[in-house]
Amino acid sequence: MIGIVNRTLLAVAGAVLLAAGVVLLTAVRPLKGRAEPLLTAADRRRYLHADGWWWWVLIAALVVCLLLALWWLLAQLKRARLRTVAVDTGDGAFALLRGRALSDAVAAEAGALDGVAGCRVALRGRRGSPALRFAVELEPHAVPADTLAGLAGPVLTHARTSTNLPGLPAEARFKVTSHRARRVS
């Protein structure tokens, strides 16, 4: 979602800046030529000292633009990774497990599977209901079904039992590493 908003804002800002540049370089209708001031004395008297509703509309539009810009800035600062996971200790209390430690441990266990060249694990969701996202890089000889069975079997079972979250969802994305043909001499 935030990627779509970023591209849209960038396109709108680019279009506005391009239009402003064209207007300033060509000195077309709004500027009435290069020698004319932006606001004439008559315009300044009419618009800057006028009482009317359009000043309130202008201020409201600027406030809306400011609030949208602040929302966009806060969305950029938001972290996508889950920092901690609440683990039930069994005695009515909860322990906090660092999300980075859990994802590193699961990635190391998944990376040890046969046919896996590399694995990254991201922890998403909320503290009480996390989800795992695997990015698995397969070797050229690997069978994806066997790797998926290894992930769904021992790797996820171990992660679910260690965090005491039997419903820990997971999503896996596979990518095959590129390999060069060996030279035969």
Side-chain angles (χ1 to χ4, degrees):
M1 173 69 183
I2 196 68
I4 295 169
V5 172
N6 284 342
R7 286 190 294 272
T8 304
L9 284 177
L10 188 61
V12 168
V16 167
L17 289 175
L18 180 67
V22 167
V23 165
L24 289 176
L25 286 176
T26 59
V28 291
R29 179 80 182 121
L31 299 180
K32 301 174 191 158
R34 293 183 187 265
E36 289 289 323
L38 188 59
L39 289 175
T40 62
D43 290 337
R44 285 192 300 267
R45 278 192 302 274
R46 183 173 45 177
Y47 293 120
L48 297 180
H49 299 292
D51 292 327
W53 57 269
W54 73 277
W55 282 110
W56 296 107
V57 171
L58 179 67
I59 291 171
L62 290 175
V63 167
V64 167
C65 288
L66 177 70
L67 290 176
L68 286 174
L70 287 175
W71 169 80
W72 178 75
L73 178 66
L74 291 176
Q76 300 304 312
L77 297 176
K78 181 181 174 184
R79 293 189 181 257
R81 289 184 178 248
L82 189 61
R83 288 182 178 244
T84 58
V85 176
V87 178
D88 187 13
T89 58
D91 58 356
F94 286 93
L96 293 180
L97 175 64
R98 281 190 2 204
R100 183 68 129 186
L102 177 62
S103 63
D104 287 348
V106 172
E109 192 172 351
L113 292 174
D114 185 37
V116 175
C119 181
R120 290 178 315 198
V121 177
L123 197 58
R124 308 280 181 173
R126 295 192 174 142
R127 184 183 283 184
S129 59
L132 294 173
R133 181 177 291 172
F134 291 90
V136 181
E137 192 170 350
L138 298 175
E139 293 177 354
H141 70 279
V143 179
D146 294 342
T147 307
L148 184 61
L151 284 176
V155 174
L156 275 178
T157 302
H158 190 231
R160 286 174 177 153
T161 56
S162 63
T163 58
N164 199 14
L165 293 170
L168 181 66
E171 174 185 337
R173 295 180 185 215
F174 294 111
K175 175 183 166 187
V176 178
T177 60
S178 60
H179 66 287
R180 293 184 162 179
R182 293 186 181 166
R183 242 184 160 162
V184 179
S185 54

